[in-house]
Amino acid sequence: MSSLRAHDDTWDIATSVGSTAVMVAAARAGETERDTPLIRDPYAKILVAGAGTGIWEFMLDDSFAAKVADTDPESATILEHMGNYQAVRTHFFDAFFADAVAAGIRQVVILASGLDSRAYRLEWPDGTTVFEIDQPKVLEYKAATLAEHGVEPSALLHEVPVDLRHDWPAALSAAGFDASLPTAWLAEGLLMYLPAEAQNQLFAQVTELSAPGSRVAVETVGVQAQDRRELMRERFRKISAQFGIEDAIDVGDLMYHDEDRADVAEWLDGHGWTASAVTSQTEMQRLGRWVLPDDADGSAFSEFVVGERH
């Protein structure tokens, strides 16, 4: 269980779970500036710079990783792994949407969208509608920041400002969602912030709203041993102290470490979907982005699951 979460908590872009969206956007910004990036997100840096967290802006400093490597090479490798993971994850789900629209799907729902900029940066076919669901303040920040820079969506975008623990299906329908049409759903960077029961409820609601031919893509939750989590905490405490990073958020404290969490692919297979999964480690190795030892604990890493509704 998370030590910093409550069933009725809320956040903006600079606090709690909201700040993790800034972390992910910072990773996308860093990847975009590589010589041979896996993904390109021209809006990520804009969104990070205006978020007011200060913490994740260190990831935009080219010299940051080199300075860490000078004093703690293993921590530098972990930071590199984190950036690579975000790039590979984004690449995988970008491809999922490309496949979905190629199959004729024109309705998209991004659950807990955070600072996801796919509604703006991907090339959507004419007639595509994207629904973004997240906390009101998170959606307000993203929309206002991109508008200030003259950035417009590349699809018809509907923002649905509602907490996923509330009646989000009603809010989604009120925003124009059509449950009779096949939909491409994305749950990326979400499940770790939900307890097991809420995860099951979320997928039950998605299933109820999904017409035949709908597709879903999910990032699952890796299971990391407690001693490993403590080791990671200590490493990041040292990095924070070294670089004077104040109020550094321990992302692990925002997550629900729930042993009863269902296997997503198995759950989908048992509830009207045909699902398949690939481990993030396998995908990172395929794309040449694996920098950890080959004998690393595979259960600590997430899977990327895709499913199609019968």
Side-chain angles (χ1 to χ4, degrees), residues 214-263:
S214 292
R215 300 187 181 191
V216 64
V218 184
E219 175 193 19
T220 70
V221 183
V223 180
Q224 196 171 76
Q226 181 62 32
D227 59 347
R228 179 65 176 169
R229 291 201 296 269
E230 290 300 329
L231 179 60
M232 292 291 286
R233 279 195 179 97
E234 184 57 32
R235 285 190 177 279
F236 284 109
R237 286 192 194 104
K238 289 181 179 178
I239 292 173
S240 297
Q242 178 184 351
F243 292 95
I245 303 175
E246 298 181 0
D247 300 323
I249 295 173
D250 187 336
V251 176
D253 283 338
L254 301 175
M255 299 178 182
Y256 286 91
H257 304 287
D258 200 326
E259 296 179 356
D260 297 326
R261 191 180 299 277
D263 180 282

Side-chain angles (χ1 to χ4, degrees), residues 9-309:
D9 57 345
T10 188
W11 50 84
D12 58 19
I13 201 61
T15 59
S16 187
V17 176
S19 68
T20 67
V22 184
M23 173 188 70
V24 175
R28 293 200 306 271
E31 177 66 21
T32 299
E33 294 183 353
R34 290 175 65 126
D35 291 337
T36 55
L38 285 177
I39 58 98
R40 297 182 186 275
D41 185 344
Y43 312 123
K45 193 169 186 177
I46 295 170
L47 292 167
V48 173
T53 63
I55 300 167
W56 304 122
E57 291 181 29
F58 278 85
M59 296 179 68
L60 302 180
D61 181 356
D62 292 338
S63 65
F64 178 59
K67 291 175 182 176
V68 173
D70 287 341
T71 57
D72 189 347
E74 189 170 348
S75 290
T77 298
I78 292 171
L79 289 174
E80 183 181 1
H81 166 79
M82 291 171 60
N84 284 346
Y85 174 81
Q86 296 296 342
V88 169
R89 182 181 82 168
T90 303
H91 180 272
F92 184 91
F93 294 124
D94 282 1
F96 162 77
F97 280 128
D99 291 343
V101 297
I105 294 176
R106 295 293 182 268
Q107 184 167 250
V108 171
V109 179
I110 302 177
L111 301 163
S113 58
L115 297 183
D116 186 310
S117 64
R118 290 185 175 96
Y120 298 83
R121 67 178 178 81
L122 295 186
E123 295 183 6
W124 300 101
D126 291 343
T128 302
T129 301
V130 177
F131 296 88
E132 292 188 339
I133 303 177
D134 211 320
Q135 295 268 355
K137 291 181 180 179
V138 173
L139 293 178
E140 288 170 8
Y141 167 78
K142 179 166 62 177
T145 302
L146 293 178
E148 287 172 5
H149 289 81
V151 180
E152 296 183 355
S154 53
L156 178 61
L157 174 61
H158 292 293
E159 295 156 350
V160 186
V162 62
D163 193 308
L164 285 170
R165 294 166 296 186
H166 300 157
D167 190 2
W168 65 267
L172 181 62
S173 296
F177 175 82
D178 187 345
S180 70
L181 299 176
T183 303
W185 302 85
L186 176 61
E188 176 189 33
L190 167 60
L191 299 191
M192 63 282 292
Y193 305 116
L194 298 176
E197 183 178 349
Q199 173 180 306
N200 290 345
Q201 181 181 4
L202 177 74
F203 287 124
Q205 291 167 314
V206 167
T207 299
E208 186 175 350
L209 293 169
S210 294
S214 292
R215 300 187 181 191
V216 64
V218 184
E219 175 193 19
T220 70
V221 183
V223 180
Q224 196 171 76
Q226 181 62 32
D227 59 347
R228 179 65 176 169
R229 291 201 296 269
E230 290 300 329
L231 179 60
M232 292 291 286
R233 279 195 179 97
E234 184 57 32
R235 285 190 177 279
F236 284 109
R237 286 192 194 104
K238 289 181 179 178
I239 292 173
S240 297
Q242 178 184 351
F243 292 95
I245 303 175
E246 298 181 0
D247 300 323
I249 295 173
D250 187 336
V251 176
D253 283 338
L254 301 175
M255 299 178 182
Y256 286 91
H257 304 287
D258 200 326
E259 296 179 356
D260 297 326
R261 191 180 299 277
D263 180 282
V264 173
E266 291 180 1
W267 192 99
L268 291 171
D269 278 336
H271 293 81
W273 301 79
T274 298
S276 62
V278 60
T279 67
S280 56
Q281 180 176 353
T282 297
E283 192 67 2
M284 292 178 76
Q285 289 170 334
R286 184 182 74 83
L287 294 170
R289 290 300 189 89
W290 183 258
V291 295
L292 298 183
D294 289 336
D295 62 352
D297 180 11
S299 65
F301 303 102
S302 66
E303 292 183 332
F304 303 144
V305 177
V306 294
E308 185 168 357
R309 188 80 164 97

